Amino acid sequence: MPNPVVRPSSASNGEPLLAIRQLSKQFGGAQALSNVDFELMHGEIHGLVGANGAGKSTLIRVIAGVVRPDAGEIRVDGRPVSIRGPLGAASFGFHFIHQELNLVPKFSARQNMVLGLRKPKRLAVINWRAVEGTLRPIAERLGIDFPLDTPVERLSIANRWLVSIGRALVDSARLVAMDEPTASLSATEVERLFRIIGDLRDEGVAVLYVSHRLAEIQQLCDRATVFKDGQRVATVERGDLTRAALVEAIVGSRADSPSSSPTLKPTADAGHQPGPAVLEVHRLSRPPLVRDVSFTLHRGELLGLAGLVGAGRTETARAVFGADRLTGGSLKLDGRVFRPRSTPDSVKRGLALVPEERRSQGLILQKNVRFNLSLVSLRQLRILRWFPALSMRRLDRQARDIVAKLSIRPERTDTVVSRLSGGNQQKVVIGKWLARRSSVLILDEPTRGVDVSARAEIHRVMRELADSGMGVLVIASEFAELLDCDRVLVMDRGAIVGELRGGDITEQAILRLCYIEDEATA
């Protein structure tokens, strides 16, 4: 099957496949990458590690042509290039397999493997027999043992990864970037994936491997580059690729320094006295990303939930809220046993969730502010409890009160939500729960994609809600967002690995707990 473009020669001649010099990129005034130098050789497995927001994803987006750098130079095979969009990246043989696996669920594995590529035709119709002849040796090479006409939605996560890798091989990939490929795989599936990655390296394909699992980086990679605060802080060769060295570079201080290690059970902060328990979670389980999670949230408490990508934070929140079915564990609300049967059941019992993706999960964008603020409180807005007609006067008054309380701009409640800024959209998502008078509010990445002033406003609202007696659980990937919490729980690989309180809550302490298992075995 012909390729859509002619690839450059894969012969390295000592030149890196990809060389990046003094690369910089800003987003909204914040420095995402700062004067980064980076090299990727032919036939090399190169690990990328660092905390959330360290700059790894931005680097990959630049290489993929998704964002344009503000400054710096990119060279492919020693020649300066400008990567213009994803098609430009594909023209160099660069392929990117994201954690979400961008496959078409209803399409077959065969269709996904050739999606977007030039296909042989016969009498102006795709010659699927010829396509099959091209895919068969690739499927054998990857050990694919399922029929290629199987719809992707019926495949396991491991087999979907094989389809994604197969698509890269069909297009003669020279570089394959993989983002957290083992997050949802079993030990046997991980071993199989590692064999495939090793085969790719032996065939001269460069692999860019992004993972928070340092043991995998140590086992698999020829080199690893550590990012911190948008800068490359270290590139570690295989001979020096120990977990202690990686943790030291990621955290920013020596891994064996006792003075920088947080206490796992610190004494309570005397400055804040929370109320009685409002939510008790006992041995909550939903494998593989939630494992025996236990914690208590008190009235008047702002509780943070931290962790790296794939730690299980969002999955824990969804399980508590009833969006995902539990396989084990129990919950109590105000001392009474509660097992969520559905999200409406949870809402009725006083739980509220501000989801990670507000535009698709928290709002109806084409409706106005007043409508969105009333979504979860329609029953209270009826003229009569038994008659399903709304009191427009009560609805208007409720919307105006919430808009004023949260400083939503513009103040007009008939403004279509899609016209609001990201920060004001987020305030609307939070605001709809205020009318419900929920006792527990869970916020997943509440300040993602909002500007600095809106971020400060959202922090103010969270603290005010906690001070009013609500139990507030907040999830944030940027650990600076959790510094005002009364307590912070840290998750790793589906389990809670530590707790910080009061003055012990620092970004470095949170980050060190994220890698506590790696430090312990280093």
Side-chain angles (χ1 to χ4, degrees):
M1 186 171 65
N3 293 320
V5 294
V6 178
R7 305 289 188 219
S9 169
S10 62
S12 64
N13 296 323
E15 286 280 358
L17 168 62
L18 174 70
I20 289 173
R21 302 287 181 247
Q22 297 294 293
L23 193 75
S24 295
K25 179 63 184 178
Q26 284 191 345
F27 291 111
Q31 196 76 27
L33 291 175
S34 178
N35 298 321
V36 168
D37 289 335
F38 177 79
E39 286 188 354
L40 180 66
M41 306 303 293
H42 296 263
E44 175 189 23
I45 304 174
H46 197 120
L48 282 187
V49 296
N52 303 329
K56 309 182 302 295
S57 296
T58 303
L59 177 68
I60 289 178
R61 291 169 69 192
V62 169
I63 299 171
V66 176
V67 300
R68 298 287 300 276
D70 300 324
E73 181 183 61
I74 302 175
R75 288 178 173 264
V76 176
D77 293 319
R79 299 194 306 271
V81 300
S82 177
I83 303 178
R84 301 183 180 276
L87 290 179
S91 71
F92 294 112
F94 296 172
H95 281 262
F96 303 85
I97 306 177
H98 303 285
Q99 190 175 0
E100 294 81 10
L101 295 178
N102 294 330
L103 301 171
V104 182
K106 298 293 183 183
F107 282 16
S108 68
R110 179 190 299 109
Q111 290 170 315
N112 273 281
M113 288 172 74
V114 297
L115 189 65
L117 305 182
R118 187 180 302 163
K119 306 168 188 67
K121 293 185 179 181
R122 192 173 187 179
L123 300 177
V125 176
I126 294 175
N127 186 347
W128 286 107
R129 180 173 294 180
V131 170
E132 188 74 23
T134 301
L135 296 184
R136 191 177 301 113
I138 292 175
E140 292 174 355
R141 179 176 165 190
L142 296 177
I144 291 177
D145 56 4
F146 54 86
L148 293 182
D149 59 0
T150 306
V152 161
E153 64 184 359
R154 297 182 187 173
L155 298 178
S156 67
I157 296 295
N159 284 332
R160 293 181 194 184
W161 266 97
L162 296 181
V163 171
S164 297
I165 296 172
R167 185 180 185 282
L169 296 183
V170 171
D171 201 26
S172 304
R174 306 174 67 215
L175 180 158
V176 179
M178 301 182 180
D179 186 7
E180 298 289 347
T182 63
S184 300
L185 303 185
S186 67
T188 301
E189 292 165 342
V190 169
E191 185 178 345
R192 180 185 186 187
L193 177 64
F194 281 9
R195 284 199 302 268
I196 292 170
I197 292 174
D199 291 342
L200 293 177
R201 172 181 57 191
D202 295 343
E203 294 165 11
V205 177
V207 177
L208 198 54
Y209 191 89
V210 183
S211 179
H212 289 300
R213 299 183 176 184
L214 302 187
E216 294 180 0
I217 296 292
Q218 185 183 20
Q219 175 185 346
L220 186 65
C221 297
D222 302 305
R223 288 191 296 167
T225 293
V226 181
F227 279 81
K228 183 177 175 63
D229 299 329
Q231 296 182 320
R232 180 183 67 86
V233 296
T235 295
V236 186
E237 301 292 334
R238 181 164 184 81
D240 300 318
L241 203 56
T242 64
R243 283 179 286 184
L246 292 173
V247 170
E248 180 180 337
I250 293 167
V251 175
S253 64
R254 287 195 56 80
D256 56 358
S257 172
S259 63
S260 60
S261 298
T263 304
L264 293 185
K265 294 182 179 179
T267 56
D269 177 29
H272 182 80
Q273 297 298 324
V278 63
L279 173 66
E280 297 171 74
V281 178
H282 180 66
R283 303 197 68 177
L284 196 71
S285 293
R286 183 178 168 80
L289 291 177
V290 182
R291 298 183 292 112
D292 284 343
V293 170
S294 298
F295 64 89
T296 299
L297 174 64
H298 298 267
R299 289 192 177 275
E301 182 179 35
L302 184 57
L303 176 64
L305 192 59
L308 302 173
V309 173
R313 300 161 302 161
T314 293
E315 291 78 10
T316 297
R318 288 177 57 86
V320 169
F321 188 63
D324 294 329
R325 188 176 297 276
L326 301 178
T327 58
S330 61
L331 303 172
K332 285 185 178 180
L333 279 173
D334 288 317
R336 299 176 61 184
V337 175
F338 169 60
R339 189 170 186 87
R341 294 171 295 182
S342 63
T343 53
D345 184 36
S346 298
V347 172
K348 187 182 297 185
R349 292 290 300 270
L351 289 172
L353 173 67
V354 174
E356 183 177 11
E357 177 44 62
R358 60 176 173 267
R359 293 177 65 86
S360 63
Q361 299 174 4
L363 296 167
I364 300 179
L365 292 173
Q366 300 311 314
K367 294 293 186 178
N368 61 31
V369 171
R370 180 175 56 245
F371 180 91
N372 276 274
L373 289 174
S374 68
L375 282 174
V376 296
S377 55
L378 293 175
R379 189 174 294 274
Q380 294 103 293
L381 295 172
R382 289 180 177 181
I383 296 175
L384 298 173
R385 181 173 297 181
W386 53 269
F387 186 63
L390 300 182
S391 166
M392 299 309 296
R393 179 182 299 177
R394 199 178 303 165
L395 188 152
D396 284 336
R397 185 172 62 249
Q398 172 182 286
R400 288 195 304 270
D401 289 347
I402 295 173
V403 165
K405 182 172 184 176
L406 299 185
S407 300
I408 297 172
R409 298 290 182 270
E411 296 179 353
R412 292 179 59 94
T413 61
D414 59 356
T415 304
V416 175
V417 166
S418 62
R419 298 177 183 172
L420 301 182
S421 67
N424 283 296
Q425 287 181 353
Q426 188 72 311
K427 290 179 188 178
V428 173
V429 182
I430 297 172
K432 71 183 182 185
W433 294 110
L434 300 188
R436 185 80 201 183
R437 295 182 177 85
S438 303
S439 55
V440 174
L441 176 62
I442 305 170
L443 302 108
D444 194 354
E445 304 288 358
T447 61
R448 175 173 290 175
V450 306
D451 60 32
V452 175
S453 60
R455 184 170 298 192
E457 280 289 303
I458 291 171
H459 283 182
R460 176 188 63 79
V461 169
M462 291 190 301
R463 173 49 68 186
E464 287 181 355
L465 292 175
D467 290 345
S468 70
M470 185 182 289
V472 180
L473 176 66
V474 57
I475 300 169
S477 294
E478 295 185 32
F479 299 152
E481 301 292 309
L482 301 175
L483 299 185
D484 292 333
C485 291
D486 304 308
R487 286 189 298 144
V488 172
L489 305 175
V490 181
M491 292 190 69
D492 181 33
R493 304 170 210 189
I496 293 177
V497 295
E499 174 185 320
L500 297 162
R501 296 174 183 252
D504 291 329
I505 300 173
T506 65
E507 290 183 67
Q508 189 181 66
I510 295 171
L511 186 56
R512 186 174 296 284
L513 280 174
C514 291
Y515 290 102
I516 193 71
E517 290 187 19
D518 291 295
E519 273 194 76
T521 57

